[in-house]
């Protein structure tokens, strides 16, 4: 059973959770509810939980937020809701995420940070493949994975054409699209560079998509300046990819998105 901690001073949120009668069927233990931020921190110091959600109407959440950022950076955070349909959707996402987070696929020692990084990479691939249905789903999953990305700031989207992609993958590169995607991410574009998070997806042998996302805790900057810096970084990495992998990536389209929401299922093409 997964253990959730709810921290809130909102009666309607507490009532929504208390009205759930089938938590056990969803593999959740009874939700522990605390109304005070300091008490929640004390509880987290002495008790194991799988995820925490907080929502305050009358209290400053800063103390709890700072604790989670500085002391528990890998603890999943969920979004509390007072509407039953929204709450059940959130619990479904939490369950799926925790199942993936704690899946034992090998005999290697469990590394929480490494698993989170893998799941963030997977989320970015799904986002770039337009498999995230809505901004609400994206917001929920970014919080669960502790991905510190600014969902409401401009993002920078690159679509690349690989003129010889099919030949390259079938001939010179024998490891498949997934391994190529991982190589581009780990060895070239990187995940973080100068306060920008880069996500990459090899969608087809001819189509690679890359996105640069701003961190939510980075200073506000002029969009044109951030765009210039991102394009410079990407152009240098494209040159490195040509030099070291002998793979041509032609920029087919560059788009400044109003926000990450633009690439969810409800966003414009």
């Amino acid at each position: 059973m997964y253990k959730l901690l709810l921290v809130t001073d909102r009666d309607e949120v507490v009532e929504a959770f208390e009205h759930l009668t089938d938590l056990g069927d969803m593999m959740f233990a009874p939700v522990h509810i605390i109304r005070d931020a300091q008490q929640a921190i004390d509880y987290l110091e002495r008790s194991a939980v799988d995820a925490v959600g907080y929502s305050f109407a009358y209290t400053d959440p800063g103390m709890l937020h700072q604790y989670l950022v500085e002391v528990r950076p890998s603890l999943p955070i969920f979004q509390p809701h007072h509407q039953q349909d929204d709450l059940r959707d959130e619990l479904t996402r939490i369950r799926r995420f925790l199942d993936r987070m704690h899946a034992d696929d090998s005999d290697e020692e469990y590394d929480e940070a490494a698993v989170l990084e893998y799941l963030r990479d997977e989320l970015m691939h799904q986002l770039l493949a337009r498999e995230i249905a809505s901004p609400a789903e994206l917001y929920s999953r970014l919080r669960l994975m502790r991905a510190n990305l600014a969902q409401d700031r401009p993002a920078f989207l690159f679509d690349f054409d690989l003129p010889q992609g099919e030949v390259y993958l079938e001939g010179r590169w024998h490891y498949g699209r997934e391994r190529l995607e991982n190589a581009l991410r780990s060895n070239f574009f990187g995940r973080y560079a100068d306060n920008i998070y880069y996500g990459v997806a090899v969608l087809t042998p001819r189509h690679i998509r890359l996105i640069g996302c701003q961190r939510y805790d980075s200073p506000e900057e002029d969009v044109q300046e951030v765009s210039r810096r991102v394009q410079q970084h990407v152009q240098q990495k494209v040159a490195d990819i040509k030099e070291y992998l002998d793979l041509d990536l032609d920029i087919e389209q560059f788009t400044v998105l109003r926000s990450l929401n633009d690439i969810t299922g409800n966003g414009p093409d």
Side-chain angles (χ1 to χ4, degrees), residues 1-193:
M1 291 286 186
Y2 294 124
K3 298 177 181 178
L4 303 182
L5 172 64
L6 171 64
V7 191
T8 186
D9 60 5
R10 299 173 58 197
D11 290 338
E12 67 273 21
V13 173
V14 173
E15 291 172 5
F17 277 83
E18 289 179 341
H19 286 160
L20 292 170
T21 59
D22 56 348
L23 280 170
D25 295 338
M26 292 185 279
M27 294 301 295
F28 291 111
V31 178
H32 193 82
I33 301 174
I34 295 177
R35 292 178 177 266
D36 178 80
Q38 183 59 59
Q39 291 179 15
I41 293 171
D42 294 340
Y43 182 84
L44 287 167
E45 285 290 291
R46 65 177 187 271
S47 305
V49 301
D50 294 296
V52 59
Y54 63 92
S55 178
F56 293 104
Y58 313 106
T59 308
D60 182 1
M63 177 193 305
L64 180 57
H65 174 77
Q66 184 176 3
Y67 171 82
L68 292 170
V69 169
E70 296 179 357
V71 182
R72 303 296 298 275
S74 297
L75 180 64
I77 297 175
F78 66 87
Q79 178 70 9
H81 295 277
H82 66 277
Q83 298 287 348
Q84 284 290 311
D85 289 345
D86 294 335
L87 178 54
R88 288 188 174 278
D89 287 344
E90 181 72 8
L91 288 169
T92 298
R93 285 191 286 266
I94 297 169
R95 166 69 190 281
R96 289 173 180 165
F97 171 77
L98 292 175
D99 283 349
R100 295 294 311 280
M101 185 77 181
H102 297 287
D104 185 11
D105 294 330
S106 71
D107 295 328
E108 297 179 7
E109 184 178 350
Y110 179 73
D111 185 336
E112 189 175 61
V115 174
L116 273 176
E117 186 173 84
Y118 171 80
L119 292 175
R120 290 180 195 128
D121 293 341
E122 183 179 73
L123 172 61
M124 295 308 295
H125 179 101
Q126 293 171 350
L127 179 65
L128 290 168
R130 300 188 67 88
E131 295 171 357
I132 306 300
S134 66
E137 179 185 348
L138 177 61
Y139 178 75
S140 171
R141 293 181 64 182
L142 287 173
R143 282 172 64 86
L144 283 170
M145 297 180 190
R146 304 299 298 269
N148 301 325
L149 306 184
Q151 189 175 349
D152 59 347
R153 291 193 194 179
F156 309 92
L157 185 67
F158 299 81
D159 285 282
F160 296 99
D161 176 53
L162 284 69
Q164 301 296 321
E166 295 95 339
V167 174
Y168 187 86
L169 286 171
E170 293 176 4
R172 301 197 57 181
W173 184 269
H174 306 288
Y175 310 110
R177 280 191 284 166
E178 185 176 341
R179 290 280 295 276
L180 177 61
E181 179 175 304
N182 187 60
L184 295 176
R185 177 190 303 115
S186 302
N187 301 329
F188 295 97
F189 294 114
R191 291 182 177 86
Y192 282 107

Side-chain angles (χ1 to χ4, degrees), residues 196-216:
I196 301 295
Y197 181 90
Y198 291 92
V200 64
V202 180
L203 300 176
T204 74
R206 286 290 303 267
H207 186 193
I208 290 177
R209 182 170 281 168
L210 174 77
I211 193 166
C213 315
Q214 300 183 68
R215 291 174 59 98
Y216 78 79

Side-chain angles (χ1 to χ4, degrees), residues 124 127-128 130 138 142 148-159 195-200 209-216 218 220-231 234 253-264 268:
M124 295 308 295
L127 179 65
L128 290 168
R130 300 188 67 88
L138 177 61
L142 287 173
N148 301 325
L149 306 184
Q151 189 175 349
D152 59 347
R153 291 193 194 179
F156 309 92
L157 185 67
F158 299 81
D159 285 282
N195 280 329
I196 301 295
Y197 181 90
Y198 291 92
V200 64
R209 182 170 281 168
L210 174 77
I211 193 166
C213 315
Q214 300 183 68
R215 291 174 59 98
Y216 78 79
S218 64
E220 292 275 2
E221 293 184 76
D222 178 74
V223 174
Q224 292 185 346
E225 171 58 25
V226 181
S227 176
R228 182 198 62 77
R229 198 166 69 243
V230 168
Q231 291 183 78
V234 170
Q253 184 172 346
F254 170 68
T255 307
V256 179
L257 304 175
R258 294 168 299 179
S259 72
L260 283 179
N261 295 333
D262 282 359
I263 199 173
T264 62

